[in-house]
Amino acid sequence: MRSKMKLVSRHIDKHGAGHVTLRPEDDEDMWHLYNLIQVGDSVRAPAVRRVQTVSSTGSTESQRVRLNLTVEVSRVDFSSAAPAASAPESGAADSVAPGSTSAALHIAGRVTSENPHVKLGAFHTLDVEANRDVRIEKADGWDSVAVARVEEAIIPGKGAEVGAVVCGEGIAAFCLLSQHMTLVANRINVPIPRKSAASGASQHEKGMTKFYATLYDSFVRHIPFANAGLRVIVIASPGWVRDGVHTYLVEEANRRGDKPLQRALREKVVKVHVSSPHVHSLVEVLKSPEIVAQLKETKFAREGIVLDRFFKMLGSDEMRAWYGPDHVCLAADRGAIGTLLISDDLFRSSDPVTRKRYVEVVEAVQQKGGEVVIFSSMHESGQQLNQLTGIAAILTFPLDVEVVEAEEREAAEEEKRRQAALEEQSELD
C-alpha cells in the first residue's frame, strides 16, 4: 500500500481564490502535480542555486545554496524516466527499481518573490523533489476539476496493482500499471534464429532458451511479484509464446527454490492472448474477461471498459457515440450525455478559455446525472482517446449530428434576425 500525497495546507475561498500546499512522495504524485500546475500559476518550492561570492582579497568562491523560490510558471515538463530498451542480449537495465521515484517534474518561470540570492524577474527552473512541499496558487482560480484532482491525489492509494509482460519471440516489455500511470520498467530484445533445413530447430531452440533466461532475470528484477498490492501478473502474447514463458518461469523458480516467486506464479498469473507483442496491446489486456473480473473497480480498468463501450456504440449506433470538442459540447447542451470520456491532456491547456470550456462540459454532465471518466494520458487507453481528439461521449438517446448542427445554425440565424429587428425598432423609436 502506498501512502497518500500529503496535504500540508489548503486555503481556497468560495470564489476559487487561494492556494494549496502538497508534499509529493512518488511518481503518481508527480503526475498529479503536473496535471494541477498550469502556465501563469504561482508555484513555491525548494530550489538549489549556485551563488558566487567575492572575498576581501578579490578571490571568487562558488557554493550551492538551498532556498525556497516562488516562480510564475511559463513551462511545465514531466518525464516518467523509463528506459527505452536494455541491451539486446542481456536482462540488465538501467531503470529505477519498482516502488521508487523515477518521474521528474520541472517547473520553469520568472522569480516573483524577494530573495537575497536571486533577483526578482530572474529565470529559474524548479526541480520538484519527493517529500518537499510545493505551494500552488492558481492564476485563474481553483475550478472544480482542479479541486477534484487534489482530493483524488490525497486519498490513500496503492502502488502498482498490475504487472504485465507483453512478449513475442525474442522481445518483451515489462510494465507496471497503477491508478494513473503505465510505466515500462524494462524492455528486452534477444535475436532468435529462424528454423531452417540446414540447422534444423537447434539454433532456434538455443535462441529461445537464451530469451527465456533473459526474460526470467528481468522479470525478477522489474516485476514486484512479492508485493501484496500487486494483484495480477499478466503474461500476454500473440501465438503461444506466453505459455512457453510461463512454463520456463515456473520451472526455473522451482529449480532455484524461490518460494515467493513460486507462490506469485501460482496465485497471480493470468495468461492473455493479444494481437501484437507491443505495449499498446495492454488495452486488449485490460478488456479481457479474465482481467476485468479481477480489476473491474480500478481506475485504469474502468477506462478500458468505457472506451471499449464507446467504440462498440460507434460501430452499432453512431448517433449515440459522438466525439470531438464541438460535437460533444452540442450533446452536453442537449443534456444527452450518459457517459463523458475526457483526457486529462485537455485540462493542461495553457489557454484558460479552453480549459474553462472543458470544465463547464464536465460540470454540465455531472449536474444532469451523467458519468464523467477522466482518462490518464499515461495509460494506453488515454493515448487512444487522445488520438480521437481527447473527448468523446456515449449518449443516453440518439442524436443526428447533421440535424443538430442544422438546428443550431437555424437558431443562430433566428437570433441574428431578432437582434436586427430590435436594432431597427430602436432606430424608429
Side-chain angles (χ1 to χ4, degrees):
M1 186 86 164
R2 85 167 180 93
S3 55
K4 62 184 177 181
M5 173 136 72
K6 183 172 177 57
L7 176 64
V8 179
S9 65
R10 172 166 47 187
H11 302 283
I12 302 174
D13 66 22
K14 62 181 181 180
H15 305 295
H19 63 267
V20 170
T21 301
L22 298 163
R23 186 177 301 156
E25 293 193 349
D26 62 13
D27 289 358
E28 288 226 355
D29 293 344
M30 296 294 186
W31 179 246
H32 281 302
L33 288 176
Y34 176 59
N35 281 276
L36 281 169
I37 297 167
Q38 293 174 278
V39 171
D41 290 353
S42 178
V43 173
R44 184 171 181 81
V48 176
R49 291 280 285 202
R50 187 170 292 281
V51 177
Q52 288 190 336
T53 55
V54 181
S55 69
S56 56
T57 61
S59 62
T60 302
E61 289 185 357
S62 178
Q63 59 180 348
R64 290 164 65 85
V65 177
R66 180 171 283 277
L67 38 82
N68 282 309
L69 287 181
T70 304
V71 301
E72 182 180 317
V73 179
S74 60
R75 194 180 77 250
V76 187
D77 295 316
F78 175 86
S79 169
S80 61
S86 62
E89 299 185 16
S90 167
D94 52 1
S95 64
V96 179
S100 60
T101 302
S102 61
L105 180 63
H106 309 291
I107 303 163
R110 298 204 175 274
V111 175
T112 60
S113 61
E114 292 282 356
N115 191 284
H117 300 294
V118 186
K119 291 180 180 179
L120 277 176
F123 194 82
H124 185 84
T125 299
L126 298 170
D127 299 316
V128 177
E129 300 176 40
N131 301 307
R132 302 278 185 182
D133 293 358
V134 179
R135 182 184 185 275
I136 307 166
E137 187 168 349
K138 304 294 291 177
D140 297 296
W142 290 84
D143 57 42
S144 61
V145 171
V147 171
R149 189 92 195 189
V150 171
E151 295 292 346
E152 186 178 3
I154 63 177
I155 295 171
K158 296 177 180 177
E161 293 185 280
V162 175
V165 182
V166 184
C167 52
E169 280 200 2
I171 62 172
F174 301 80
C175 308
L176 299 173
L177 285 75
S178 55
Q179 288 294 308
H180 292 273
M181 299 181 72
T182 299
L183 174 66
V184 181
N186 191 31
R187 298 180 195 265
I188 62 171
N189 188 346
V190 178
I192 307 292
R194 290 187 178 183
K195 294 179 182 178
S196 66
S199 62
S202 61
Q203 292 301 312
H204 178 81
E205 288 171 0
K206 283 180 182 177
M208 287 301 292
T209 300
K210 188 172 187 179
F211 167 59
Y212 289 146
T214 303
L215 188 146
Y216 180 94
D217 291 339
S218 273
F219 184 96
V220 170
R221 290 188 62 183
H222 298 288
I223 302 295
F225 55 84
N227 287 8
L230 193 76
R231 299 164 62 179
V232 178
I233 298 171
V234 175
I235 302 177
S237 77
W240 304 104
V241 175
R242 61 189 179 281
D243 294 315
V245 166
H246 181 247
T247 299
Y248 186 92
L249 290 173
V250 170
E251 290 177 351
E252 191 64 10
N254 292 341
R255 188 181 71 79
R256 300 189 188 194
D258 189 332
K259 293 197 182 324
L261 180 54
Q262 290 172 344
R263 187 179 308 111
L265 292 171
R266 187 171 60 250
E267 298 175 359
K268 297 183 179 181
V269 166
V270 176
K271 292 179 284 184
V272 177
H273 172 79
V274 289
S275 58
S276 157
H278 302 294
V279 174
H280 61 74
S281 295
L282 285 172
V283 174
E284 294 177 52
V285 168
L286 294 175
K287 290 189 299 189
S288 66
E290 309 97 308
I291 302 303
V292 168
Q294 298 186 54
L295 300 174
K296 57 187 175 185
E297 76 280 9
T298 62
K299 175 178 167 58
F300 55 81
R302 179 68 185 148
E303 291 174 10
I305 293 166
V306 171
L307 189 65
D308 191 40
R309 272 181 53 211
F310 172 80
F311 281 123
K312 284 179 178 175
M313 186 67 77
L314 190 63
S316 63
D317 186 358
E318 65 178 18
M319 290 188 186
R320 287 186 57 199
W322 285 26
Y323 62 92
D326 293 340
H327 288 168
V328 171
C329 287
L330 278 178
D333 289 342
R334 299 293 175 102
I337 296 178
T339 304
L340 175 69
L341 298 71
I342 186 165
S343 168
D344 56 15
D345 253 4
L346 300 183
F347 298 113
R348 290 197 293 273
S349 171
S350 57
D351 177 15
V353 175
T354 300
R355 179 185 169 96
K356 185 179 180 183
R357 182 190 191 194
Y358 292 125
V359 171
E360 287 174 348
V361 170
V362 167
E363 291 174 345
V365 172
Q366 290 172 332
Q367 285 167 7
K368 290 182 172 65
E371 178 189 21
V372 176
V373 182
I374 298 179
F375 282 61
S376 171
S377 51
M378 284 292 282
H379 282 318
E380 291 298 318
S381 53
Q383 290 168 23
Q384 279 197 4
L385 182 60
N386 284 343
Q387 291 171 6
L388 201 71
T389 74
I391 187 168
I394 301 170
L395 309 191
T396 53
F397 52 87
L399 283 176
D400 188 317
V401 172
E402 292 181 359
V403 171
V404 172
E405 287 179 337
E407 290 173 354
E408 291 290 318
R409 284 194 299 271
E410 188 176 324
E413 288 168 6
E414 178 60 35
E415 178 62 21
K416 280 182 184 178
R417 287 194 293 269
R418 192 180 71 82
Q419 288 293 337
L422 286 173
E423 289 172 8
E424 186 177 339
Q425 185 62 42
S426 177
E427 289 173 4
L428 290 172
D429 294 342

